[in-house]
Amino acid sequence: MGSSKQSAGILDTLKMQRVRTILTHTYPYPHEHSRHAVIAVVVGCLFFISSDNIHTLVEKLDNNVKWWSMYACLFGFFYFFSSPFIGKTFKPSYSNFSRWYIAWILVAAVYHLPSFQSMGVDMRMNLSLFLTIYLSSILFLLVFHIIFLGLWYIGFVSRVAGKRPEILTILQNCAVLSVACCVFYSHCGNRAMLRERPLDRRNSNWFSFWKKEERNTWLAKFLRMNELKDQVCSSWFAPVGSASDYPLLSKWVIYGEIACNGSCPGSSDEISPIYSLWATFIGLYIANYVVERSTGWALTHPLSVKEYEKLKKKQMKPDFLDMVPWYSGTSADLFKTVFDLLVSVTVFVGRFDMRMMQAAMSRVSDGNHQGDLLYDHFSEKDDFWFDFMADTGDGGNSSYAVARLLAKPFIRTLKDDSELTLPRGNLLLIGGDLAYPNPSAFTYERRLFVPFEYALQPPPWYKAEQIAVNKPEVPFGAQLKQYNGPQCFVIPGNHDWFDGLQTFMRYICHRSWLGGWLMPQKKSYFALQLPKRWWVFGLDLALHGDIDVYQFKFFTELITEKVQEDDSVIIITHEPNWLTDWYWNDVTGKNISHLISDYLRGRCKLRMAGDLHHYMRHSHVKSDGPVHVHHLLVNGCGGAFLHPTHVFSKFNKLDEVSYECKAAYPSFEDSSRIALGNILKFRKKNWQFDFIGGIIYFVLVFSMFPQCQLNHILQDDTFSGHIRSFLGTVWNGFIYILQHSCVSLVGAILLLIAAYSFVPPKLSRKKRAIIGVLHVSAHLAAALILMLLLEIGIEICIQHKLLATSGYHTLYQWYRSVESEHFPDPTGLRARIEQWTFGLYPACIKYLMSAFDVPEVSNFSELFYF
């Protein structure tokens, strides 16, 4: 006993599971030094910025208040456009493109505005230097990795070095060291050693201020931050020495700029401090990489408990799909959905109906309804529970949360301060829309089957690729009545019909298991005979919003032959037409109404539906007249996004019978509050909609470009005068669009038609027209205001000669003119690199820099044209 306890303690100490995780990790060599380098760069940048005298800083701000106001507006706009990306990680490639695009536009705009130079930061030099160092670093590290992998291949380095590096790691480290060099250059420059200083400068003690006798001097320098910055630049980051000290490197280095009082004969022999800093970072990267890959460093440094738990949680997390970006203007799935819908409406509606094909292929004959459509194996059970849900095909996490609750053996809840235990249903009914946005093998597998299989595992002998030809495939050859496990029946929704019901038939009618739920179903509609003389009719509405004649015939015959006068019937449809007809002032589902009122005649106790992603339950108000349906229930909370309930708060009548709402989720008050909050939250959740919104706004003001006479807005002396002139210009633009524009007027009319059509038809035409006009006017005013703000900013920059002064490759030409002055190259290193790279080295930098000249080129062309 003692030995077993001791061995257990040893195993607990070793944490063998963690060791196994480390040994089998796919990428066990994290480059943590890049993260530490980022922190060091940020700290250094803050130090250099704060080292300026506070009085001088305030004075510089006061002298450039106009430009700093423009900076505030500029950064405010860019914060608004970039806010959806802050603190989040997106998987779609379009989001990464948007991040880089917004960053590029911001840098290009800041590059063309003044006043950063008054703060000691030369934006042009920093941008040029960053691109040059960044490309050079990438090239150098790629060559290093190629050489290192070659050494591994021929056996000169250890076996664990064969892992190829992640390209993102290389790019990240190159960006960090490039930013570090730019920060250093902004505040320290590329100065070589001062000629007045003694030659034994390198032998001085850099940290002498820590000596007790010199502590007061250090404190005094701390109070004079500007002097401390000079001390740091000249001592801590001074050049490593002259080229004569390193003869082998004399032709492979960049030299520093001479900084001396008076004339300085000759050229600098000191190695550039920027080059020294860059070489230091590159050396640290190479040393860290070689040590990690050649010595098994990661195997001797196990993960911390926190990192291990985080890694374990990530490994155990199911690979669910994200929710469908319904308002994305760049989603290929949504474009495919629109195309499938057009094809379905054009080809299938009125021409081909899968329900007709099912009726033709049905085995039901000679009045025997025990075939493919009627199931009575529940009728003899004593105790029976069933669950109902709909619209489960939107997201992974939300759909899994609902499926996990359905899979639990029981759920405990509170009712009137007492605990209530609800067992898992013997039957699960799903009301359609199984996979968004369009039905396909991928969406059905990933959005429907994967969450349900994680919630409740199918039997071990089940094979997903196997087609069920003899349903029901009950385990161990038993009869369906003898099977006591949970079962599932499904009706299709409108999204399941976008491909003509092909995917639904393949995955629902020709498969036997949805997770751990058995699916005996063979057709898209069905009838279930339940205990206690209850029935369930599952109807397939297709894209017509109604049942076809074959369904109508089957259910009327079933009612006539099987359903007794005192039986109770539950009808399931995908669409709750009692709510949608009231909202759109329409009449649909006439065959269903005929079935309920003329055949069931009061035996329909409950109608259930989905489609609307909320929960609402209405019950009839007792009256003397006939009641065709006693209760109305909508439960579309299967994992999809949330629909409002407050827009249906005034619904109270169906077929001349009064109803009252007994429950709603969310409540009417919460629903109204959530809808109001969407004004601010919509873009943060649906940032891809910028693509569509941008096109709409551009079309609305297309005829107004360009505005070259906006001086009158800035001529007033008061702020109120500026506002009046600006609003007057907006109004004049609005009138111009109505009187003279073609493209903008057509865009406004189309937007007005769309806005009018989305107003509920139950309102009068006058109210619909007023709401539509106000809606379009608000968008048109917003587009005009944004356009005028852009034009005013451009005009101010042109007046101050910040734009439209040069042409293409302005930044590159400026950089080449100052490069030789600030970064001497007496040995011709740049010319040799250009020769060895066949001209790619300057060409790549040249065309990268030209990306930041787009505002310059566009406005130069505009000014030349007018």
Side-chain angles (χ1 to χ4, degrees), residues 734-777:
F734 184 78
I735 299 300
Y736 177 84
I737 289 176
L738 296 179
Q739 294 180 348
H740 303 93
S741 173
C742 293
V743 177
S744 299
L745 182 60
V746 171
I749 293 175
L750 293 177
L751 186 61
L752 178 61
I753 295 173
Y756 179 85
S757 62
F758 275 98
V759 179
K762 63 177 179 289
L763 298 178
S764 64
R765 291 184 177 179
K766 183 178 180 180
K767 289 184 178 180
R768 295 179 67 188
I770 292 175
I771 294 175
V773 169
L774 291 177
H775 191 179
V776 174
S777 299

Side-chain angles (χ1 to χ4, degrees), residues 169-238:
T169 302
I170 298 176
L171 298 179
Q172 177 184 351
N173 283 275
C174 291
V176 169
L177 66 90
S178 301
V179 171
C181 293
C182 291
V183 170
F184 177 82
Y185 178 81
S186 297
H187 299 278
C188 296
N190 190 40
R191 295 176 298 179
M193 183 177 60
L194 297 177
R195 293 300 177 93
E196 289 82 0
R197 298 198 174 200
L199 294 178
D200 59 347
R201 170 188 58 83
R202 292 190 297 271
N203 296 326
S204 63
N205 190 351
W206 289 354
F207 298 94
S208 60
F209 50 79
W210 286 112
K211 294 182 179 180
K212 191 172 183 179
E213 59 273 12
E214 298 184 11
R215 192 174 300 167
N216 293 333
T217 305
W218 161 250
L219 293 176
K221 288 184 178 181
F222 182 79
L223 296 177
R224 298 190 298 272
M225 295 294 293
N226 199 26
E227 296 181 9
L228 177 61
K229 183 190 74 171
D230 293 338
Q231 180 72 18
V232 170
C233 292
S234 60
S235 297
W236 291 11
F237 294 103

Side-chain angles (χ1 to χ4, degrees), residues 251-293:
K251 294 184 178 181
W252 304 97
V253 298
I254 299 296
Y255 293 86
E257 181 182 2
I258 298 178
C260 59
N261 296 327
S263 61
C264 298
S267 60
S268 171
D269 190 37
E270 293 289 333
I271 297 176
S272 166
I274 305 297
Y275 181 85
S276 302
L277 187 62
W278 175 82
T280 302
F281 274 104
I282 291 292
L284 288 174
Y285 176 90
I286 294 175
N288 186 82
Y289 187 87
V290 171
V291 169
E292 287 180 354
R293 294 306 177 96

Side-chain angles (χ1 to χ4, degrees), residues 18 33 75 103 106 111 135 177 294 303 381 392 396 426 497 527 549 587 592 609 722 744 769 861 865:
R18 184 186 307 177
H33 60 283
F75 282 106
L106 176 61
Y111 158 66
L135 287 180
L177 66 90
S294 301
L303 298 175
K381 291 184 177 292
T392 183
N426 307 87
W497 266 94
V549 63
V587 178
I592 300 175
H722 293 318
S744 299
S861 302
Y865 180 79

